[in-house]
Amino acid sequence: MTGGITRQLDGKLRELRFHLDPDQVRITYWIAPGRRIILLTVFRKSRMREDREVDRARRALARCGPSAHRRGRGGVGAMSGPANWEEVRDRRMAEPGASEAYGAARLAFELGAAVRQLREQRGWSQRELAEAAGMTQSAVARFEAGGTVPTLPILERIARALDVELAVHFRPRPSAA
């Protein structure tokens, strides 16, 4: 880990920036009464997502900010609201666009994992795959980490470089009975 720069985004919303090779990581937080730090969001920086992630942090601060936060036993802060992961997940998945975003993130992750597995089977580094596909090493790293959803032409270049056939399938979705 390198770096470690903090800045105030607006109002009580703050951001910690650092590098966790090879990624630039952002943590948004606010400082609650009693100098307690309340974590809001964590994300890998990308030019395309940064504004969207900061907006998500603003919404999180609005939900769990000073008006929703109270002191618990022993001076430890306790947020009102869901007490377990399932409740948090269900509430977030009910937000507009959450299901689509989750699906896109799952697709990006699965595509990246498949390419990484093929690359490692060949004993290639990310740099070697990048050169063979006409890409940069950082683009390959972002893709393998699930940080981007590539276009079909990019997938074709990667498939050609890995000497595999790219197959896109349409399958009926399982019915929700």
Side-chain angles (χ1 to χ4, degrees):
M1 185 172 102
T2 60
I5 299 170
T6 186
R7 71 181 180 125
Q8 187 165 356
L9 294 172
D10 57 44
K12 294 180 180 279
L13 183 61
R14 298 173 180 263
E15 174 185 65
L16 173 63
R17 300 173 162 213
F18 58 94
H19 291 274
L20 194 57
D21 288 334
D23 299 316
Q24 295 180 41
V25 179
R26 304 292 191 258
I27 296 175
T28 59
Y29 64 97
W30 71 282
I31 300 175
R35 301 189 47 84
R36 291 170 289 129
I37 296 175
I38 308 301
L39 176 69
L40 298 171
T41 63
V42 178
F43 61 97
R44 272 195 239 85
K45 181 193 179 294
S46 77
R47 202 171 299 136
M48 299 181 324
R49 291 188 341 196
E50 188 167 13
D51 291 338
R52 190 173 65 217
E53 293 294 343
V54 171
D55 287 341
R56 187 169 68 101
R58 286 184 182 110
R59 289 192 308 271
L61 178 60
R63 280 195 309 268
C64 69
S67 62
H69 204 268
R70 66 183 194 281
R71 292 189 73 76
R73 290 183 321 179
V76 176
M79 291 190 330
S80 61
N84 62 46
W85 168 245
E86 288 79 20
E87 290 177 31
V88 171
R89 183 194 61 223
D90 292 346
R91 188 177 68 195
R92 288 195 178 157
M93 289 303 286
E95 292 178 3
S99 181
E100 292 83 5
Y102 178 81
R106 183 184 54 76
L107 176 63
F109 176 80
E110 289 174 355
L111 286 169
V115 167
R116 180 178 181 167
Q117 181 179 18
L118 289 167
R119 175 182 60 79
E120 289 177 343
Q121 285 173 354
R122 283 159 180 71
W124 285 3
S125 67
Q126 289 178 341
R127 183 184 52 76
E128 289 169 318
L129 174 57
E131 288 174 5
M135 302 170 65
T136 63
Q137 180 275 327
S138 62
V140 170
R142 272 193 309 277
F143 172 57
E144 286 186 356
T148 61
V149 178
T151 62
L152 282 173
I154 295 293
L155 286 173
E156 289 171 340
R157 286 174 27 197
I158 292 171
R160 216 174 7 261
L162 292 168
D163 194 29
V164 296
E165 178 185 350
L166 175 62
V168 178
H169 299 276
F170 289 96
R171 285 181 269 189
R173 291 184 179 159
S175 62

